[in-house]
């Protein structure tokens, strides 16, 4: 018998916050194997990848107040508006951001960055090359890629922290 109540619980606080989707899936598969049949309390925003093996969801509002603590099916069915409002990622959550009230097009023709061969250097060696890049004023850009693909490197270069 355990000597402490907390020795039978496992706690994870956003273990996949800075990890890409493949890495996130790997983490959750490992956690599930190692801690199968144990109580695990997880703080997580990307719940779509833990939904297959969690039983209940405790949802807090932006002030830290309890909204609901219930079976996952009930929370996902009855609290979708809250999940969207709090920015929680669940399966199909992105479709809520495609809304005719917020058009996905822009009218700007002012170029902020334009390059036909954008290279980033470290120790005088090119570490990232983008063949064609044009970014317009007021345009929103999403940078996606696996861990180590160069997302942060690109941002550091655009900010002038790395030579280009």
């Amino acid at each position: 018998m355990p000597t402490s109540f907390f020795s039978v619980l496992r706690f994870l606080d956003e273990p996949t916050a800075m990890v890409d989707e493949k890495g996130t899936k790997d983490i959750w598969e490992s956690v599930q194997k190692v801690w199968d049949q144990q109580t695990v309390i997880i703080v997580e925003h990307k719940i779509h990848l833990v939904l297959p093996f969690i039983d209940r969801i405790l949802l807090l509002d932006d002030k830290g107040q309890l909204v609901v603590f219930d079976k996952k099916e009930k929370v996902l069915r009855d609290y979708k508006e809250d999940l969207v409002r709090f920015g929680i990622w669940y399966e199909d959550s992105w479709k809520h951001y495609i809304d005719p009230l917020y058009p996905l097009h822009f009218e700007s023709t002012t170029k902020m960055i334009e390059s036909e061969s954008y290279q980033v250097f470290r120790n005088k060696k090119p570490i990232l090359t983008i063949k064609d890049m044009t970014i317009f004023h007021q345009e929103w850009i999403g940078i996606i890629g696996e861990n180590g693909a160069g997302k942060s490197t690109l941002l550091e270069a655009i900010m002038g922290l790395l030579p280009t």
Side-chain angles (χ1 to χ4, degrees):
M1 194 152 177
T3 58
S4 165
F5 172 75
F6 292 108
S7 68
V8 296
L9 293 174
R10 305 292 184 225
F11 298 91
L12 295 171
D13 187 3
E14 297 195 49
T16 66
M18 302 298 286
V19 180
D20 66 16
E21 190 148 338
K22 182 187 178 312
T24 297
K25 285 179 182 178
D26 291 345
I27 288 170
W28 290 127
E29 286 174 9
S30 297
V31 166
Q32 190 177 14
K33 285 177 190 171
V34 173
W35 289 343
D36 188 35
Q37 303 299 315
Q38 295 186 39
T39 299
V40 182
I41 298 173
I42 304 164
V43 176
E44 183 61 75
H45 285 87
K46 299 183 280 187
I47 65 170
H48 65 291
L49 295 174
V50 296
L51 283 176
F53 58 90
I54 64 171
D55 302 307
R56 295 191 296 158
I57 296 173
L58 187 150
L59 178 61
L60 302 175
D61 68 13
D62 54 352
K63 293 179 178 54
Q65 300 298 311
L66 178 66
V67 175
V68 63
F69 182 40
D70 212 327
K71 293 184 180 190
K72 69 180 174 185
E73 296 83 8
K74 179 175 176 48
V75 174
L76 294 172
R77 182 186 66 235
D78 299 342
Y79 292 86
K80 276 196 175 184
E81 287 181 17
D82 290 308
L83 293 170
V84 171
R85 186 164 43 108
F86 302 134
I88 308 299
W89 299 357
Y90 62 93
E91 191 169 353
D92 296 328
S93 61
W94 283 105
K95 74 179 181 181
H96 295 284
Y97 295 96
I98 301 173
D99 187 322
L101 295 175
Y102 303 99
L104 296 179
H105 67 279
F106 60 97
E107 301 297 328
S108 178
T109 57
T110 305
K111 295 177 182 177
M112 301 297 291
I113 297 174
E114 181 178 28
S115 178
E116 290 184 15
S117 181
Y118 191 85
Q119 286 193 308
V120 181
F121 296 89
R122 187 168 280 140
N123 298 324
K124 298 182 181 181
K125 294 181 182 177
I127 57 171
L128 179 68
T129 300
I130 298 178
K131 293 180 181 179
D132 182 25
M133 180 171 63
T134 304
I135 299 175
F136 294 91
H137 178 68
Q138 295 185 329
E139 183 175 30
W140 286 56
I141 307 292
I143 301 173
I144 59 173
E146 293 188 14
N147 289 343
K151 302 176 299 290
S152 297
T153 298
L154 175 60
L155 290 179
E156 289 170 356
I158 290 172
M159 292 186 301
L161 300 174
L162 291 175
T164 60

